[in-house]
Amino acid sequence: MTAVPGALADAGAHRVRVSLGERSYDVIVGRRLLEQGHAFDSLSPGPHAVIVTNDVVGPLLAAQLTQALRARFSRVSQVTLPDGEAYKNWETLNHVFDALLAEHCDRNTTLVALGGGVVGDITGFAAACYMRGIAYIQVPTTLLAQVDSSVGGKTAINHPAGKNMIGAFHQPRLVVADVDSLLTLPRRELVAGLAEVIKYGAILDEAFLSWIEAGLARLLALDGDALIHAVRRSCQIKAEVVASDEREAGRRALLNFGHTFAHAIESGIGYGRWLHGEAVGCGMVLAARLSERLGLIQPQRARRLESIIEKAGLPTKPPDIDDKVLVEFMRVDKKAIEGSQRFVLLEGANGAVVAPATEELVERVLFECRSS
Ligand code: NAD
Ligand code: GLY
């Protein structure tokens, strides 16, 4: 993490650098960032910014963001999408392209994603494709998006055969995470975001996991300082991993802890029925139990994680769906190599690895988890 300049520092904001050579960028974390606008001061002036948001977040925050962007962009316009994971598809993406073309947007246009991970992923993918690639900024407004999806440049839409199957790596120019925007977030969404915070502690930072364990009540009560620490530390961990392995050739895959199970749950029951973070919560329980079954960790490590996930209010048991269907969906996971299933697993006292597991064992773990 590095110091922030002048007005931002006065406002108590923090800066996390994602170091990727000429594609490096800052994640600014703090309070009143949209209201004060200084978080955008580092941007070069541009002709046109298009805010991409949805019909829930737009009415709450788009006016404030428009005002903040006017200091940097001659023109600021807006595209509003329908809300929900069910709309993270080709049709919605095309709606963004239609709007950009209708407004004569060119290669100097900057897209600004204002919303949760769904808006962020669609906007990032639209920016990656439009005129072969234009700039975009992430203004994440859910906890999940602030700690995970807005950082690292993964963009995607869903396909009926699998989640996030169509996408691109395209890094944003700037991420502005204003924790005050979380004050209107429904509690279920806040809890879902905690799953990704817990994930970082579980796989890469034991001290952070202990801090989360002790600070759950403050986080759930939307304490500003606790939220800033959770977002900042999560972004630091993610920035460090992404800087070392941008394209997920190795280490970045660890960030998918719990996600092989989670994506199968989401696809299996239909997008949007469980929130992504809820599926990740349950997925981490299953992955920890699988690690234990494979003899990679002592039972206490799995029990402790399960207890934190439960105390956060996340599901710890799979939804009511045939385990064979879940296993079927795991076959399209992006980590699978030549048909062999690979999982992010816990190892030893603090570590994590990517390792294979048989479908029989996975089914057994699903069964045991349901019946425990
Ligand atoms: P989301 O984008 O659907 O947002 C959750 C809900 O909260 C929506 O109804 C949204 O309109 C509403 N909302 C957002 N901000 C709000 C606010 N400030 N006040 C009130 N309501 C608000 O869901 P999410 O959990 O943010 O993101 C999930 C998506 O992120 C999934 O599609 C997942 O695949 C993706 N994801 C991507 C990455 C990545 O690296 N690109 C990482 C993790 C997750
Ligand atoms: N959410 C996992 C990653 O960005 O790699």
Side-chain angles (χ1 to χ4, degrees):
M1 199 188 64
T2 48
V4 284
L8 261 182
D10 294 344
H14 304 270
R15 177 164 68 173
V16 177
R17 186 79 175 155
V18 184
S19 298
L20 290 166
E22 62 185 13
R23 284 169 293 105
S24 298
Y25 55 96
D26 288 337
V27 181
I28 308 289
V29 183
R31 303 188 65 175
R32 301 177 65 207
L33 298 177
L34 299 187
E35 187 188 317
Q36 294 172 341
H38 296 301
F40 302 94
D41 284 356
S42 64
L43 294 171
S44 312
H48 188 186
V50 180
I51 297 172
V52 182
T53 187
N54 70 24
D55 50 21
V56 170
V57 183
L60 296 171
L61 296 166
Q64 218 171 39
L65 178 61
T66 301
Q67 193 61 30
L69 292 171
R70 281 211 174 109
R72 282 283 168 268
F73 295 92
S74 315
R75 186 171 159 224
V76 181
S77 52
Q78 185 176 325
V79 181
T80 304
L81 310 175
D83 177 38
E85 182 78 36
Y87 294 97
K88 191 175 151 180
N89 56 23
W90 272 117
E91 203 182 336
T92 309
L93 184 70
N94 256 326
H95 175 71
V96 176
F97 293 143
D98 290 346
L100 298 181
L101 289 164
E103 289 210 43
H104 308 289
C105 294
D106 62 19
R107 284 192 166 139
N108 294 318
T109 301
T110 299
L111 303 190
V112 186
L114 173 68
V118 168
V119 165
D121 278 10
I122 295 173
T123 308
F125 191 35
C129 301
Y130 189 73
M131 297 199 171
R132 301 199 180 92
I134 60 173
Y136 77 111
I137 297 165
Q138 290 273 16
V139 182
T141 63
T142 63
L143 182 59
L144 182 139
Q146 294 192 350
V147 300
D148 190 358
S149 61
S150 64
V151 178
K154 278 189 183 175
T155 76
I157 54 169
N158 298 328
H159 185 278
K163 214 177 129 54
N164 293 334
M165 278 294 149
I166 316 295
F169 284 97
H170 186 50
Q171 299 293 341
R173 290 280 164 90
L174 175 71
V175 180
V176 176
D178 184 343
V179 299
D180 281 346
S181 64
L182 304 179
L183 296 177
T184 51
L185 198 61
R187 186 177 169 96
R188 191 178 165 198
E189 299 290 351
L190 178 78
V191 168
L194 282 176
E196 303 284 2
V197 179
I198 294 168
K199 173 191 81 177
Y200 293 114
I203 54 168
L204 287 166
D205 188 343
E206 159 62 27
F208 187 42
L209 188 65
S210 296
W211 179 87
I212 296 163
E213 199 171 16
L216 267 177
R218 282 174 72 205
L219 289 167
L220 289 167
L222 291 167
D223 176 282
D225 290 341
L227 287 172
I228 286 178
H229 181 71
V231 174
R232 186 176 55 152
R233 184 66 198 130
S234 299
C235 289
Q236 282 172 340
I237 294 171
K238 181 150 189 185
E240 188 267 310
V241 172
V242 168
S244 68
D245 178 23
E246 184 184 6
R247 296 262 167 165
E248 203 170 299
R251 190 154 175 262
R252 184 165 178 173
L254 296 181
L255 298 180
N256 294 322
F257 177 55
H259 285 58
T260 304
F261 286 106
H263 288 167
I265 289 170
E266 290 181 271
S267 301
I269 59 174
Y271 298 131
R273 287 194 48 210
W274 271 32
L275 302 179
H276 176 69
E278 292 170 340
V280 170
C282 178
M284 290 192 289
V285 170
L286 290 162
R289 283 177 174 245
L290 184 57
S291 313
E292 185 187 339
R293 266 266 161 222
L294 286 162
L296 293 171
I297 58 167
Q298 294 297 317
Q300 305 89 281
R301 189 168 173 201
R303 293 298 89 75
R304 178 185 179 214
L305 180 61
E306 196 162 331
S307 148
I308 296 171
I309 290 168
E310 192 174 8
K311 278 187 196 139
L314 290 158
T316 54
K317 290 192 190 302
D320 193 13
I321 172 175
D322 189 341
D323 291 341
K324 292 206 180 309
V325 173
L326 289 178
V327 168
E328 186 73 33
F329 272 107
M330 281 180 221
R331 291 195 188 128
V332 294
D333 186 82
K334 293 189 283 304
K335 283 186 298 310
I337 294 179
E338 290 169 9
S340 160
Q341 240 1 94
R342 293 156 81 242
F343 293 83
V344 182
L345 299 167
L346 301 178
E347 185 185 46
N350 300 310
V353 283
V354 179
T358 63
E359 291 187 353
E360 291 70 29
L361 191 59
V362 170
E363 274 196 52
R364 192 150 123 203
V365 165
L366 282 162
F367 174 78
E368 284 171 358
C369 187
R370 282 179 202 291
S371 25
S372 65

